[in-house]
Amino acid sequence: MTDGTNPPSHPQPEPAPGSGGYGFPPGPPAQGGYGYPTPAGGYGYPQAGQQPNPYQQDVGGYQPDAGSGYPPDAAGGYPQDAGAGYQQDPGAGQWSAAPAQPGFTRLAGPDLPGSSQPDWEAMADRSAAERRKKRLWTLGGGVTVLALLASGGTFFLMGNDDDGQDAQPANSASASPEPEDAKGPAAYTATVAGDDTLLRDSYGSMGIRLGPDLKVGPLGKRFQVVGRGNGNSWAQSAEPVVDVTKSFTVTARAYNSAAKGSRIVMSQGDGESFSFELGVNEVNGKQAWIFRVQTGDKGAAATTRTVTAEGLNMVKTPTLLMATYDAEKKAIALYVDGKKAGETPVPPIWQAPGPLQLGRSKHHNIWTGPWQGALHNIKTYDMAFTAEQAAGYKEGKLDPSPKPTHAWLLT
């Protein structure tokens, strides 16, 4: 390259007449600069009669959207076929010329034949510009190949954000995580593997067997159970879950679709009577949420203690229910959507034989309260929540967060 001084004192021979200059073909220079003729569609675009390369930009070239690195579609969004990434629209039609790219400056031609000396500085500048072109195209091709390999053949358009950082494709949605004590993310399952009638305990090993008409159904990306309100709309564990001689909390999210009658979310015991039950019952001629415990083995009214939440919308309204027993205070309490509905003192709760029940309760040797509606997020704890903890649980701000002893159908 020249350093700004006169060239060496070895004059070059004059170019042959009609040759077009030193090492350049005769005639006017090719569009886009000497040595790099540009096809009609621009660099990397097919000429007339050729098929377009499917791994190049759509009509109009690649125009990065501010802050995203991806070209918007006609509706202003970012079309993405599931698992396929951003690809050429097959209906894009003819390919058009690419817009001018930064760094690709069109150079003036060399001195015309008959000049006494060639313009050495211009030729050096052209050579440097051509080397820059080659490096840019080589780099671009390498990025394309790496993107294809990394995505298994799926091509993501790569660009630059305004801050100069490489734009990356959006991450795919990860699988729903397990509860906090799991060792890594995994797809959540409501039932035990290989048995779609046994609800999986996410915090223990107590499965709950589904009756014929209490079915697992979708709830967003998770699951719920839905009962039809008949004698088969129930489920039960293999053995007792709650130790009613100690403090405990039971909670569930319920959606009651029955306008009348008794509807039990959960209870425990399958003998002559229950130990506790949580659900819907008619109070003063209207439905109300209730938490009821039994202090005697016969289920007599005189040995029953109940807390109620009256005057609420009971039908087709998603509701968070929480019932507690404080063994030290010897009191039970009911919370509806994080608010305390009531509290009452109780003698020790009778420890009825038999497992945890969903969707029914035992009264005088008869199953009652078949559930009609949906249930999910069913948990038990070996402690009595305070009013502050119940409110925090409703808002998802329970800190420190106590671990359940058992949990089913988490969301």
Side-chain angles (χ1 to χ4, degrees), residues 366-393:
I366 299 173
W367 290 113
T368 63
W371 182 253
Q372 182 174 324
L375 301 171
H376 66 91
N377 228 46
I378 302 163
K379 298 179 184 178
T380 65
Y381 295 84
D382 58 0
M383 58 174 286
F385 277 33
T386 63
E388 291 77 14
Q389 289 175 315
Y393 183 92

Side-chain angles (χ1 to χ4, degrees), residues 291-352:
F291 177 47
R292 182 179 288 132
V293 299
Q294 185 54 253
T295 63
D297 61 354
K298 301 299 182 183
T303 56
T304 301
R305 300 291 184 272
T306 305
V307 179
T308 64
E310 302 178 55
L312 301 177
N313 189 354
M314 303 293 302
V315 182
K316 297 183 179 180
T317 303
T319 305
L320 172 61
L321 300 175
M322 179 180 287
T324 68
Y325 169 61
D326 190 322
E328 293 184 3
K329 291 174 59 177
K330 292 183 173 53
I332 59 172
L334 173 64
Y335 299 86
V336 179
D337 288 331
K339 298 178 181 179
K340 180 181 279 191
E343 182 179 86
T344 190
V346 297
I349 299 175
W350 175 58
Q351 192 169 7

Side-chain angles (χ1 to χ4, degrees), residues 180 203 379 381 383 385 389 392-393 396-404:
E180 294 89 337
Y203 282 88
K379 298 179 184 178
Y381 295 84
M383 58 174 286
F385 277 33
Q389 289 175 315
Y393 183 92
K397 299 177 180 178
L398 190 59
D399 187 33
S401 180
K403 293 289 183 68

Side-chain angles (χ1 to χ4, degrees), residues 1 41 69 86 96 104-105 109 122 152 157-158 160 164 176 270 295 300 393 395:
M1 296 176 59
Y86 300 99
S96 65
F104 289 76
T105 303
L157 291 175
M158 305 295 287
N160 293 95
S176 299
D270 62 357
T295 63
Y393 183 92
E395 299 300 324

